[in-house]
Amino acid sequence: MSALVLAVPLVLTTFTGCGMTDNSAVSGSDNSSATSSGNTSGGIRSAGMSTPRDASDAMETVSSGIYDLIKVKGKASDSRPGVQQCPGKDRDKYFQIFHPWSFYPASAADLDAAMEHLREGLPKQGWKIVEYGPDTSRNKNLTLIADNDEQKAGVHITQMKKRNPPKLSLMVVSGCYQVPDGQEVEHF
């Protein structure tokens, strides 16, 4: 779990720059996280105003919609979303939600079908695929990165065929929320 916690800031920086930009979010910041998707304005799009609990529920709904697109038998991990600071923003007023989870198919042979269903189904649900292909790891894991401007969310999906057990590793990340006036971010 501690490795995940350490990896989350990098994941959030990498995935939420994809087409989800609030130009005021990070002024003068390094744009390297955004250039992989063609977003060169830097920062993270505002997701509006919410409490962390409500935003967490919304990201679980987004994850559930992605799960429905997999369309192969299997089991999803039981994980809850967490709260992360928005880069360059006051951590007591602004936050992002991240929801890491995994999908374990009933058969390893179903991993290819699951990825194909996601590649075909996500755009039909308002997602824009910004990257699809093998990653740079030794295993050359198939990776899909997509953004949904309407849902103010991004997803990074990695097919891990050589893992035991084989799985899809998913990270759903929100845009940057602001808590209502008079409230502070609840970190969980």
Side-chain angles (χ1 to χ4, degrees):
M1 184 66 174
S2 62
L4 175 64
V5 172
L6 293 174
V8 167
L10 174 61
V11 167
L12 293 174
T13 301
T14 302
F15 306 125
T16 57
C18 305
M20 297 176 48
T21 304
D22 172 4
N23 291 332
S24 65
V26 185
S27 59
S29 70
D30 177 345
N31 290 334
S32 62
S33 66
T35 57
S36 66
S37 67
N39 177 355
T40 57
S41 56
I44 297 169
R45 172 175 277 184
S46 171
M49 194 168 286
S50 181
T51 65
R53 293 287 173 190
D54 288 344
S56 173
D57 290 346
M59 284 303 102
E60 281 194 282
T61 300
V62 169
S63 288
S64 180
I66 294 169
Y67 176 84
D68 291 345
L69 294 173
I70 293 172
K71 297 182 181 178
V72 299
K73 289 185 180 184
K75 182 180 178 186
S77 62
D78 185 20
S79 62
R80 298 280 304 163
V83 175
Q84 175 71 30
Q85 179 179 354
C86 291
K89 293 277 196 174
D90 181 345
R91 72 176 312 238
D92 293 326
K93 294 182 181 181
Y94 298 91
F95 66 95
Q96 287 180 275
I97 299 294
F98 65 96
H99 186 205
W101 56 283
S102 298
F103 175 78
Y104 302 91
S107 166
D110 289 336
L111 278 175
D112 288 333
M115 283 297 275
E116 187 60 26
H117 292 156
L118 288 164
R119 190 177 68 81
E120 292 175 0
L122 285 167
K124 294 175 184 173
Q125 301 297 321
W127 292 86
K128 178 183 176 188
I129 296 176
V130 295
E131 189 175 316
Y132 185 80
D135 65 14
T136 58
S137 73
R138 184 175 68 205
N139 292 334
K140 302 293 183 205
N141 297 315
L142 184 59
T143 301
L144 185 156
I145 300 173
D147 290 319
N148 189 313
D149 287 341
E150 183 179 324
Q151 295 181 352
K152 309 287 192 277
V155 65
H156 183 268
I157 305 167
T158 303
Q159 180 189 64
M160 300 177 143
K161 282 185 170 183
K162 295 183 180 181
R163 295 281 288 221
N164 188 15
K167 68 177 183 173
L168 296 181
S169 176
L170 299 96
M171 175 68 79
V172 178
V173 183
S174 76
C176 186
Y177 287 97
Q178 180 178 353
V179 291
D181 290 340
Q183 295 188 27
E184 287 188 7
V185 175
E186 174 189 6
H187 294 275
F188 52 87

